[in-house]
Amino acid sequence: MKAFVVDATWDPRPDYEPSPSEMATRKALIGSSVWRHPRADFREVETPEPGPLDVVIKLRRVGFCGSDLHFFETDADGYISYPGLTRFPIVLGHELAGDVVAVGARVTHVRIGEPVTIEDMIRCGTCYPCRIDQPNHCENLDEIGFSLNGGFAEYVRVPARNCWSIASLRQRLASEAELYDCGAMVEPFTVVYNALVHAAGGIRPGAFAVVHGAGPIGLASMAMLRACGAARVIVFETSEERRTLALAMGADSAHDPRRGAAREVVDAETQGLGADLQIEAAGAFAHTLPLMEESVALKGTILVIGRDSAHANIYPEPLQVKRATLVLAKGNAGHGTYPSVLRLIASGRIDPRPMITAKYPFVEIAAALAASGARGHGKILIDVA
Ligand SMILES: [Zn+2]
Ligand SMILES: [Zn+2]
């Protein structure tokens, strides 16, 4: 089969000593400290066969993620900027939808022909975090599209337990094309659901909320906040295109943070009370944390979902005075998150379609990569078939 394969050179930075397990598996926990000089091309690779508990999916649609882009962005020494779990060579792509075309002998809950999306995080099930039901913190994690081959290919092999049927979305959507579009959009909403509902404990209906950053995670946050009953969703985003998208995804107002006066904006729109919830979805802590500190409400929450490899300063005093909470979240695995997001989309409470700003054919992945680097888009999808 044809696949878009990314390769890089294993060359740990002088100040990074890989653990024995990283050496043995060539699976780097902090990719940006180990891998350099990324390169990508289309290759003919072996079509995957399912193991006893696996399925093989024929890809239809695959979303382009900010983390995919970080595999190609390099620093002055040529190291990739993605700071998480990585193994090369790799087929990227973890936001995907397609049809099951083969199932292993012991698979029971998925059938051939089923349209599915996948949970990309594969937990081991036996480490301490897994045994205390914290699958997002598995110590032996594998991730489809990061450490195992993902969706920028004709077929992908996935454990059956990571598959979720998207057939229920048909009740809302006019075409099979939209079914796969929306199936590939589920993953970013699961990241937000995990952070907002499981990590932060949700919001009170009627809450005031601020979202910093209107990339895919920020845009998904706005829709989720509306679905959870937020009274007002205020957005700060530097890109004008993304501010327009924010309004389409449920924001009540969208502002350019570079104009200053963020606190005045929040005060004016929250009756001077500040925001009960502040979401960091920009991955720009040095810029966003000070804004969040000064305009969080009494007993408010700052929820960090964005990723940033930089250290950041926090000024605790105003947060103590407001008895605020700082919540840091990662992942999207387990906790019934996928079925919950699928129900929200199937019921029409959340509509991911306005976020989709471009679709590229499979052979034009390189062009999609270049377009996503400009950061004016919502979600870019690759139309595999
Ligand atoms: Zn993603
Ligand atoms: Zn585990």
Side-chain angles (χ1 to χ4, degrees), residues 186 264 266 296 307 313:
V186 170
E264 287 77 356
V266 176
V296 70
R307 309 295 284 267
N313 289 321

Side-chain angles (χ1 to χ4, degrees), residues 238-276:
T238 56
S239 150
E240 190 181 346
E241 293 99 315
R242 284 182 165 176
R243 288 200 297 275
T244 304
L245 283 170
L247 298 175
M249 287 302 290
D252 294 286
S253 68
H255 311 269
D256 187 342
R258 294 169 302 187
R259 291 182 52 211
R263 181 181 187 163
E264 287 77 356
V265 167
V266 176
D267 276 351
E269 297 193 26
T270 62
Q271 297 143 21
L273 297 172
D276 301 293

Side-chain angles (χ1 to χ4, degrees), residues 63-68 94-95 120 146 187-188 191 217 379:
F64 222 93
C65 180
S67 51
D68 296 326
H94 58 278
E95 304 176 0
D120 54 313
F146 295 92
E187 195 265 359
V191 172
I217 294 297
K379 182 57 74 179

Side-chain angles (χ1 to χ4, degrees), residues 36-57:
R36 63 199 299 206
H37 308 314
R39 53 215 173 255
D41 54 18
F42 282 101
R43 286 187 207 166
E44 204 52 48
V45 302
E46 214 166 305
T47 303
E49 296 282 338
L53 290 169
D54 298 331
V55 305
V56 172
I57 299 166

Side-chain angles (χ1 to χ4, degrees), residues 123-131 137-141:
R123 69 196 93 156
C124 75
T126 51
C127 71
Y128 182 75
C130 280
R131 284 186 293 126
H137 308 278
C138 171
E139 290 167 357
N140 306 304
L141 195 65

Side-chain angles (χ1 to χ4, degrees), residues 19-303:
S19 69
S21 117
E22 284 177 292
M23 292 297 285
T25 60
R26 287 277 161 141
K27 201 162 75 178
L29 296 178
I30 302 178
S32 52
S33 291
V34 173
W35 297 105
R36 63 199 299 206
H37 308 314
R39 53 215 173 255
D41 54 18
F42 282 101
R43 286 187 207 166
E44 204 52 48
V45 302
E46 214 166 305
T47 303
E49 296 282 338
L53 290 169
D54 298 331
V55 305
V56 172
I57 299 166
K58 177 167 176 42
L59 277 317
R60 300 290 183 192
R61 219 72 87 236
V62 187
F64 222 93
C65 180
S67 51
D68 296 326
L69 189 63
H70 293 150
F71 275 71
F72 296 94
E73 288 177 338
T74 50
D75 69 6
D77 297 320
Y79 285 91
I80 65 167
S81 68
Y82 185 70
L85 186 69
T86 45
R87 178 159 50 197
F88 289 93
I90 188 78
V91 177
L92 299 177
H94 58 278
E95 304 176 0
L96 58 88
D99 298 311
V100 173
V101 292
V103 299
R106 290 171 56 204
V107 172
T108 52
H109 82 287
V110 197
R111 295 212 163 97
I112 288 178
E114 190 77 28
V116 294
T117 188
I118 64 149
E119 216 169 302
D120 54 313
M121 300 174 79
I122 301 175
R123 69 196 93 156
C124 75
T126 51
C127 71
Y128 182 75
C130 280
R131 284 186 293 126
I132 62 163
D133 299 325
Q134 297 300 316
N136 289 292
H137 308 278
C138 171
E139 290 167 357
N140 306 304
L141 195 65
D142 260 314
E143 283 185 273
I144 305 283
F146 295 92
S147 63
L148 297 172
N149 283 343
F152 292 130
E154 291 176 86
Y155 299 93
V156 64
R157 174 178 44 224
V158 176
R161 76 174 183 194
N162 285 57
C163 287
W164 294 98
S165 173
I166 58 172
S168 63
L169 307 188
R170 283 192 173 117
Q171 63 187 274
R172 276 281 144 192
L173 303 170
S175 68
E176 291 294 285
E178 286 191 319
L179 172 69
Y180 299 116
D181 287 353
C182 289
M185 296 297 296
V186 170
E187 195 265 359
F189 286 89
T190 61
V191 172
V192 172
Y193 193 104
N194 177 68
L196 180 58
V197 178
H198 298 305
I203 58 165
R204 291 161 64 102
F208 292 130
V210 171
V211 179
H212 296 269
I217 294 297
L219 292 167
S221 299
M222 296 159 208
M224 192 65 72
L225 286 164
R226 288 294 288 257
C228 291
R232 189 160 188 89
V233 181
I234 304 161
V235 172
F236 291 99
E237 162 62 50
T238 56
S239 150
E240 190 181 346
E241 293 99 315
R242 284 182 165 176
R243 288 200 297 275
T244 304
L245 283 170
L247 298 175
M249 287 302 290
D252 294 286
S253 68
H255 311 269
D256 187 342
R258 294 169 302 187
R259 291 182 52 211
R263 181 181 187 163
E264 287 77 356
V265 167
V266 176
D267 276 351
E269 297 193 26
T270 62
Q271 297 143 21
L273 297 172
D276 301 293
L277 179 73
Q278 299 257 359
I279 292 185
E280 209 299 341
F285 301 162
H287 297 285
T288 54
L289 281 172
L291 299 183
M292 296 195 287
E293 280 164 16
E294 66 180 19
S295 58
V296 70
L298 182 63
K299 290 193 74 184
T301 297
I302 290 174
L303 171 59

